[in-house]
Every structure is written in structure tokens, then in C-alpha cells.
Amino acid sequence: MAIKPVSSTPSPWHRKRDPDQEREAKRAAVLHAAAQLFNEKGFHATSLDEVAERLQITKPTLYYYIKNKDDILFQCVSRGLAMMQDAIRVVTLSGGSAHDKLVAAMRQYAEITTMDFGMCVIRVGEDPLPPDSRKALRRIKGGIDLEFRELIRQGIAEGSMVDCDPKLAAFAIAGALSWIGRWYRPDGPDSPAEIADRMIALFTAGLSTRTDATTVSAVKKITRKTPVAPARKKHPPPL
């Protein structure tokens, strides 16, 4: 089933601005359009002709801004990972406890997975790319993982988080939050912020040494089972 695009990509080809800004705006538009198509159809099923068509330009025009289809994917995933890494670093440099920083980092990470480039990191990733490109992108992923582990270590040391394996906890957090990018739909009942809050409530309930009423209420809300309709009775086939 085709997935609806997360957002439209306005074409900047008919706008006039500073030459450097104009080139960067057009390059960003190419990457956004490609990321949307990769998320909707998959990398291999998307052609450069479709990217050009979405931007209402010719295919040769694309080559002023990108090398090839692999280059587009590398740039899209790089941008998504950079957004995640930058958001977590800003959080870690802010004040507050490690517990509060981890919650803020998880919220940023979760919301980015619902954006075009963040979703591309999760739905497509680096697997279709050549070995050197995959290695470069996995280094960035490794850096994000280390940021999460360090926050968890700090939380354990300050007594705001239960004693656990930071590596395993970081894997669990990143894996669960990343999966939002797989199933999130912009026309769904919950906003990215609401989804992030509910997912975070589950993790903080397991990691935190705090047990406040808000956390307990949030966990109950997300884990409450949806009533299941009774199964229809099977009738024997007619003789």
C-alpha cells in the first residue's frame, strides 16, 4: 500500500535570491523530495525521473545538485542522523539531571523519526549504499548510541535511574523510538509529540527510580488493552 507523503515539497526553482542561498535551497528541495519518495515507495522503487517530476524540473537539472541516486540517499540519511545527533548534544549540554536530559533526548529523537529525513534513516537507512558510505553512516549512529549510554551512566551514578546495563538500555531505547518511523502516519490519531510522550513514559517507568502519579498514569494509558471483538462462530460447511 502506498504511503501518503509526510509533507509537500514546494519547488524553489521560480524564486530569486542570493546565488549561494538559491543553490542550497534547490539542493535541499531535491533531497526533501527524494526522502519523501523513498519513504513512500522505497529506495529501489523510486526513480530520479519521479524526483524531478515532483519538483517540476527536468531530470538533467537534478545533476547540478547531486551526483547520483546513491548520493541522494547518503545525503538524506546523513541529514537525518545529524539532526538526531545535534538534538541530543544540545540536550546534554543543557542544565538539569541526567534523567531529565535523557527524557528530553528521547523526545527529540522520537519526533525527528516522524520527519522526512529522520524517517528516511529508519525506513531506508544505509543498507542500499556502497560499503564506504555504509561505514560512514554507521559511525554517526555509533556516536548517537554513545550519547544515550553516557546519559544512562550518569543517571545511574546520580541515583535517578535504576542500576542496569547502559549498553542494553541504550539499544532498547533507540530501537523502540526508531520503530516509530516505521509505523507513524501523519493522518493518524496521535501527533508526534503525543507518541513521544507515551513511549517515553514506558521507558522512564522502567529506568527511573521515581514513581510519580503522572508516569504511572501515562504508562496505564499506553498499555491499556484495546477491547477485542469476539470471534465469529465458525459454521460447518453445507453438505
Side-chain angles (χ1 to χ4, degrees):
M1 181 183 294
I3 300 169
K4 293 181 180 179
V6 175
S7 60
S8 60
T9 305
S11 176
W13 264 261
H14 302 296
R15 301 175 187 174
K16 292 184 178 180
R17 65 183 86 194
D18 176 86
D20 292 336
Q21 291 181 342
E22 183 176 356
R23 179 178 176 79
E24 181 53 34
K26 290 177 178 179
R27 185 169 176 274
V30 170
L31 297 179
H32 264 114
Q36 289 171 1
L37 284 164
F38 293 159
N39 293 335
E40 294 164 30
K41 302 181 61 177
F43 175 72
H44 295 295
T46 299
S47 68
L48 291 183
D49 290 298
E50 290 172 303
V51 177
E53 182 180 357
R54 177 157 294 193
L55 291 166
Q56 300 177 6
I57 60 175
T58 63
K59 182 178 176 180
T61 302
L62 291 177
Y63 292 102
Y64 285 104
Y65 310 100
I66 49 93
K67 296 176 183 177
N68 49 43
K69 189 176 167 184
D70 282 354
D71 180 48
I72 291 182
L73 179 59
F74 180 83
Q75 297 300 327
C76 287
V77 175
S78 294
R79 289 196 175 203
L81 290 173
M83 288 168 65
M84 294 173 179
Q85 193 167 47
D86 290 346
I88 295 172
R89 284 176 176 170
V90 168
V91 165
T92 57
L93 293 174
S94 64
S97 68
H99 177 279
D100 293 338
K101 289 179 182 180
L102 179 63
V103 169
M106 287 193 289
R107 181 171 288 109
Q108 293 285 339
Y109 187 100
E111 293 195 29
I112 290 170
T113 65
T114 66
M115 301 176 186
D116 290 330
F117 291 129
M119 197 177 289
C120 192
V121 172
I122 309 306
R123 293 190 178 182
V124 185
E126 73 275 7
D127 287 346
L129 294 172
D132 288 348
S133 296
R134 292 200 302 269
K135 189 174 181 179
L137 294 173
R138 285 170 183 169
R139 277 198 299 268
I140 304 175
K141 285 186 175 182
I144 295 172
D145 173 63
L146 291 176
E147 298 276 3
F148 274 126
R149 290 192 207 183
E150 182 56 28
L151 285 174
I152 295 168
R153 287 193 191 97
Q154 291 175 13
I156 295 170
E158 73 184 14
S160 65
M161 298 182 203
V162 296
D163 190 8
C164 63
D165 180 349
K167 177 180 178 180
L168 184 61
F171 282 168
I173 289 171
L177 296 180
S178 293
W179 209 249
I180 295 172
R182 291 277 184 181
W183 51 258
Y184 170 73
R185 297 291 180 271
D187 56 354
D190 298 318
S191 69
E194 290 170 331
I195 292 170
D197 285 342
R198 294 181 183 182
M199 294 289 284
I200 289 167
L202 283 174
F203 278 108
T204 53
L207 279 174
S208 178
T209 55
R210 310 170 186 174
T211 52
D212 54 64
T214 302
T215 298
V216 173
S217 175
V219 171
K220 285 182 178 178
K221 186 175 182 180
I222 193 172
T223 56
R224 188 180 296 121
K225 291 183 178 180
T226 303
V228 179
R232 295 182 179 179
K233 293 183 179 179
K234 293 184 179 179
H235 299 285
L239 298 175

